[in-house]
PDB file of all heavy atoms in Angstrom:
ATOM      1  N   MET A 361      21.464   7.617   3.798  1.00 98.00           N
ATOM      2  CA  MET A 361      20.410   8.622   3.655  1.00 98.00           C
ATOM      3  C   MET A 361      19.956   9.059   5.042  1.00 98.00           C
ATOM      4  O   MET A 361      19.375   8.269   5.797  1.00 98.00           O
ATOM      5  CB  MET A 361      19.226   8.063   2.867  1.00 98.00           C
ATOM      6  CG  MET A 361      19.554   7.716   1.432  1.00 98.00           C
ATOM      7  SD  MET A 361      18.081   7.264   0.471  1.00 98.00           S
ATOM      8  CE  MET A 361      18.833   6.906  -1.131  1.00 98.00           C
ATOM      9  N   SER A 362      20.225  10.306   5.364  1.00 98.00           N
ATOM     10  CA  SER A 362      19.858  10.859   6.663  1.00 98.00           C
ATOM     11  C   SER A 362      18.527  11.588   6.553  1.00 98.00           C
ATOM     12  O   SER A 362      18.366  12.496   5.731  1.00 98.00           O
ATOM     13  CB  SER A 362      20.943  11.825   7.151  1.00 98.00           C
ATOM     14  OG  SER A 362      20.590  12.370   8.411  1.00 98.00           O
ATOM     15  N   THR A 371      13.457  16.219   4.885  1.00 98.00           N
ATOM     16  CA  THR A 371      14.615  16.172   4.002  1.00 98.00           C
ATOM     17  C   THR A 371      15.270  14.796   4.037  1.00 98.00           C
ATOM     18  O   THR A 371      15.151  14.060   5.019  1.00 98.00           O
ATOM     19  CB  THR A 371      15.676  17.215   4.402  1.00 98.00           C
ATOM     20  OG1 THR A 371      16.129  16.946   5.744  1.00 98.00           O
ATOM     21  CG2 THR A 371      15.124  18.623   4.321  1.00 98.00           C
ATOM     22  N   ILE A 372      15.944  14.445   2.948  1.00 98.00           N
ATOM     23  CA  ILE A 372      16.862  13.313   2.892  1.00 98.00           C
ATOM     24  C   ILE A 372      18.205  13.868   2.444  1.00 98.00           C
ATOM     25  O   ILE A 372      18.294  14.499   1.381  1.00 98.00           O
ATOM     26  CB  ILE A 372      16.358  12.222   1.937  1.00 98.00           C
ATOM     27  CG1 ILE A 372      15.059  11.594   2.492  1.00 98.00           C
ATOM     28  CG2 ILE A 372      17.421  11.150   1.735  1.00 98.00           C
ATOM     29  CD1 ILE A 372      14.469  10.503   1.620  1.00 98.00           C
ATOM     30  N   ASN A 373      19.203  13.678   3.307  1.00 98.00           N
ATOM     31  CA  ASN A 373      20.519  14.292   3.072  1.00 98.00           C
ATOM     32  C   ASN A 373      20.386  15.790   2.816  1.00 98.00           C
ATOM     33  O   ASN A 373      20.990  16.346   1.889  1.00 98.00           O
ATOM     34  CB  ASN A 373      21.250  13.581   1.931  1.00 98.00           C
ATOM     35  CG  ASN A 373      21.685  12.166   2.318  1.00 98.00           C
ATOM     36  OD1 ASN A 373      21.714  11.817   3.496  1.00 98.00           O
ATOM     37  ND2 ASN A 373      22.010  11.355   1.325  1.00 98.00           N
ATOM     38  N   ASN A 374      19.540  16.402   3.639  1.00 97.00           N
ATOM     39  CA  ASN A 374      19.353  17.868   3.671  1.00 97.00           C
ATOM     40  C   ASN A 374      18.643  18.434   2.453  1.00 97.00           C
ATOM     41  O   ASN A 374      18.636  19.657   2.257  1.00 97.00           O
ATOM     42  CB  ASN A 374      20.695  18.595   3.860  1.00 97.00           C
ATOM     43  CG  ASN A 374      21.371  18.231   5.156  1.00 97.00           C
ATOM     44  OD1 ASN A 374      20.733  18.214   6.213  1.00 97.00           O
ATOM     45  ND2 ASN A 374      22.653  17.908   5.106  1.00 97.00           N
ATOM     46  N   ILE A 375      18.047  17.576   1.631  1.00 98.00           N
ATOM     47  CA  ILE A 375      17.317  18.051   0.460  1.00 98.00           C
ATOM     48  C   ILE A 375      15.881  17.544   0.526  1.00 98.00           C
ATOM     49  O   ILE A 375      15.639  16.356   0.756  1.00 98.00           O
ATOM     50  CB  ILE A 375      17.994  17.589  -0.843  1.00 98.00           C
ATOM     51  CG1 ILE A 375      19.395  18.208  -0.955  1.00 98.00           C
ATOM     52  CG2 ILE A 375      17.159  17.963  -2.062  1.00 98.00           C
ATOM     53  CD1 ILE A 375      20.186  17.732  -2.143  1.00 98.00           C
ATOM     54  N   PHE A 430       9.111   3.368   5.044  1.00 98.00           N
ATOM     55  CA  PHE A 430       9.725   3.657   3.746  1.00 98.00           C
ATOM     56  C   PHE A 430       9.404   2.552   2.754  1.00 98.00           C
ATOM     57  O   PHE A 430       9.578   1.370   3.035  1.00 98.00           O
ATOM     58  CB  PHE A 430      11.237   3.841   3.887  1.00 98.00           C
ATOM     59  CG  PHE A 430      11.620   5.289   3.998  1.00 98.00           C
ATOM     60  CD1 PHE A 430      11.393   5.983   5.174  1.00 98.00           C
ATOM     61  CD2 PHE A 430      12.152   5.965   2.920  1.00 98.00           C
ATOM     62  CE1 PHE A 430      11.717   7.328   5.279  1.00 98.00           C
ATOM     63  CE2 PHE A 430      12.481   7.312   3.010  1.00 98.00           C
ATOM     64  CZ  PHE A 430      12.266   7.998   4.192  1.00 98.00           C
ATOM     65  N   LEU A 493       9.569  13.980   1.799  1.00 98.00           N
ATOM     66  CA  LEU A 493      10.336  12.846   2.317  1.00 98.00           C
ATOM     67  C   LEU A 493      10.425  11.741   1.264  1.00 98.00           C
ATOM     68  O   LEU A 493       9.747  10.704   1.337  1.00 98.00           O
ATOM     69  CB  LEU A 493       9.709  12.333   3.610  1.00 98.00           C
ATOM     70  CG  LEU A 493      10.561  11.396   4.490  1.00 98.00           C
ATOM     71  CD1 LEU A 493      11.987  11.861   4.605  1.00 98.00           C
ATOM     72  CD2 LEU A 493       9.918  11.206   5.852  1.00 98.00           C
ATOM     73  N   ALA A 494      11.301  11.979   0.257  1.00 98.00           N
ATOM     74  CA  ALA A 494      11.399  11.058  -0.873  1.00 98.00           C
ATOM     75  C   ALA A 494      12.669  11.317  -1.662  1.00 98.00           C
ATOM     76  O   ALA A 494      13.242  12.415  -1.618  1.00 98.00           O
ATOM     77  CB  ALA A 494      10.180  11.198  -1.787  1.00 98.00           C
ATOM     78  N   VAL A 495      13.085  10.289  -2.410  1.00 98.00           N
ATOM     79  CA  VAL A 495      14.124  10.412  -3.432  1.00 98.00           C
ATOM     80  C   VAL A 495      13.723   9.497  -4.586  1.00 98.00           C
ATOM     81  O   VAL A 495      12.810   8.675  -4.469  1.00 98.00           O
ATOM     82  CB  VAL A 495      15.530  10.006  -2.916  1.00 98.00           C
ATOM     83  CG1 VAL A 495      16.033  10.971  -1.858  1.00 98.00           C
ATOM     84  CG2 VAL A 495      15.523   8.570  -2.401  1.00 98.00           C
TER      85      VAL A 495
END
Side-chain angles (χ1 to χ4, degrees):
M361 295 188 181
S362 180
T371 61
I372 294 180
N373 291 344
N374 299 313
I375 296 175
F430 264 75
L493 195 43
V495 293

